[in-house]
Amino acid sequence: MAADVYVHLIEPAAWRAALELGAVRPPSLDAVGFVHLSTPEQVHLPAEALFPGRRDLVLLVVDPARLTDPVRLEPGRPEDPAGMLFPHLYGPLPTRAVVAVVPYRPPVQPVLPSPGDPLARALALYTSLPVRRAVGVGDVPGGVVVLDPDVPASHDNNRLLLTSPVDAATVTATAEEVGGNAGWPYRAALLGWPGAAPVAAELGRAGWEVEQLVLMARSPADPQPAATQRVEVVAQTEVHDLWERSWRRNLATTGARLDAVVGQLVGRERLNDLVVAVTDLVVREEGRVVAAAQLRVDGATAAVESVMTDPGSRGRGHADALLARALELAGTAGCDLVVLEASADDWPREWYARRGFAEIGRTWSVSREA
């Protein structure tokens, strides 16, 4: 039984712990000597037996070619269909063999990316992370809605995540219903399926703000030379002042509302480290943090986020150093793919292209005031 991918069902907190250890070591490894794997067609059987009714689990998408310990096809539980064999991994499951982490929400069939499909892996990361960190998740036409009432100003934490085609009227009606019930001060959605451009354009004509996002990717190998010794790994609180200065420059609001919104946008960042391995990197000048970047590792896939430099400190190579260090850390963690999002209409897209990132696809972020 050859398989393009295997899957392993796990609770999000257990996966986060495995990222620290570099491997998934479930109790079965000590009890019976192996890690239970499944093919995508089989996984509903252990899910129903071990986690009946649960919709808050994730599937680890495993590339069999990255496993070094033996995999044996053996019977599962006595009540499983006669003659069915399951792949059992006789050793821990390395996190570097996990090419994607996908929410498991039966009866919705999960979309599992192939190891060699960078766009599918990037989309899996960008649509999975908001679900795993959300306070609430609900099914909607075309995908899910994520909600976090603690940070209502954050579109990333409170919006529709649509990965299957729907029309503009459905996006509008769903956002209005969900946003109205949740008390959102805006309506927001990510259109993440191939060919969503016409729907985004129609929403734009109807008054929505539309941002086209370019998904870019590269291997972490051979980053451009840069003076990475200037880069420090720090606790996230060390970056808060820089983030706050950036948001205050870029937000079109003032006074107490600005203070509240900035507080939420800075504070929300800690939620990512609850579900993926986050490393915050900074460069200082005279002891003050003037540039920063973030690396998020989710198995064999990593994302570079929030690369920024204070305006007065630009042109000194800080961003190059931060990016090079992030790529080094991604390689050390066992990642073979590093992804990022860049606005289609802004200069960083070209900056990343000169540093080895290639476009792999596009998504559309749409929003409007309530």
Side-chain angles (χ1 to χ4, degrees):
M1 179 174 51
D4 179 32
V5 295
Y6 294 136
V7 293
H8 178 73
L9 196 61
I10 193 170
E11 294 180 314
W15 169 240
R16 180 63 185 88
L19 287 169
E20 293 294 326
L21 299 173
V24 177
R25 302 185 63 96
S28 67
L29 188 59
D30 292 328
V32 294
F34 59 78
V35 178
H36 292 272
L37 302 177
S38 303
T39 66
E41 297 76 19
Q42 296 171 321
V43 72
H44 66 284
L45 294 170
E48 292 166 359
L50 302 174
F51 303 103
R54 294 279 295 272
R55 303 189 77 211
D56 60 338
L57 306 171
V58 293
L59 289 176
L60 306 184
V61 183
V62 179
D63 181 1
R66 305 181 194 214
L67 299 174
T68 55
D69 288 310
V71 176
R72 299 171 187 158
L73 301 180
E74 299 171 327
R77 298 164 59 91
E79 57 268 32
D80 290 331
M84 179 171 284
L85 301 179
F86 288 81
H88 292 159
L89 172 62
Y90 278 81
L93 171 57
T95 56
R96 64 181 59 204
V98 177
V99 298
V101 181
V102 178
Y104 184 67
R105 295 177 56 77
V108 179
Q109 289 297 312
V111 176
L112 307 180
S114 296
D117 188 339
L119 174 57
R121 288 172 60 180
L123 288 172
L125 176 58
Y126 286 121
T127 57
S128 166
L129 175 57
V131 172
R132 286 183 273 161
R133 74 187 177 204
V135 171
V137 181
D139 297 321
V140 297
V144 298
V145 57
V146 292
L147 305 105
D148 190 335
D150 292 331
V151 286
S154 172
H155 291 201
D156 285 350
N157 297 70
N158 297 275
R159 63 175 171 174
L160 311 180
L161 294 172
L162 306 178
T163 53
S164 297
V166 291
D167 58 26
T170 299
V171 176
T172 299
T174 305
E176 191 61 40
E177 179 182 1
V178 173
N181 290 336
W184 291 348
Y186 54 83
R187 308 292 183 252
L190 177 71
L191 312 183
W193 69 88
V199 175
E202 185 175 346
L203 290 168
R205 291 190 294 270
W208 291 67
E209 292 185 16
V210 178
E211 181 182 17
Q212 187 175 181
L213 298 171
V214 178
L215 301 181
M216 308 183 77
R218 61 159 291 171
S219 163
D222 302 321
Q224 291 188 342
T228 58
Q229 65 269 18
R230 75 180 83 175
V231 178
E232 301 175 48
V233 175
V234 298
Q236 192 170 100
T237 52
E238 293 284 312
V239 199
H240 283 183
D241 285 346
L242 176 64
W243 287 345
E244 182 173 333
R245 294 197 298 272
S246 177
W247 282 117
R248 288 184 179 278
R249 284 193 301 269
N250 293 309
L251 289 173
T253 186
T254 58
R257 173 167 169 72
L258 177 62
D259 293 340
V261 170
V262 168
Q264 289 179 37
L265 296 178
V266 171
R268 70 180 177 179
E269 291 300 316
R270 65 176 180 79
L271 301 174
N272 296 309
D273 194 47
L274 300 178
V275 290
V276 297
V278 173
T279 302
D280 286 287
L281 306 169
V282 304
V283 174
R284 301 179 196 267
E285 290 181 355
E286 299 179 352
R288 185 174 187 242
V289 172
V290 296
Q294 187 176 93
L295 180 71
R296 301 174 184 174
V297 172
D298 201 23
T301 308
V304 173
E305 301 282 346
S306 304
V307 180
M308 64 178 65
T309 304
D310 265 342
S313 298
R314 291 174 183 167
R316 301 173 189 173
H318 295 336
D320 272 311
L322 289 162
L323 183 59
R325 184 62 178 138
L327 291 170
E328 290 174 359
L329 292 173
T332 300
C335 301
D336 71 318
L337 182 68
V338 180
V339 301
L340 58 84
E341 294 175 312
S343 174
D345 300 324
D346 207 354
W347 65 266
R349 172 190 171 191
E350 299 301 328
W351 187 87
Y352 286 117
R354 293 194 297 271
R355 285 148 183 83
F357 283 86
E359 179 177 340
I360 56 173
R362 299 193 176 202
T363 60
W364 287 261
S365 178
V366 299
S367 65
R368 66 174 177 80
E369 294 299 316

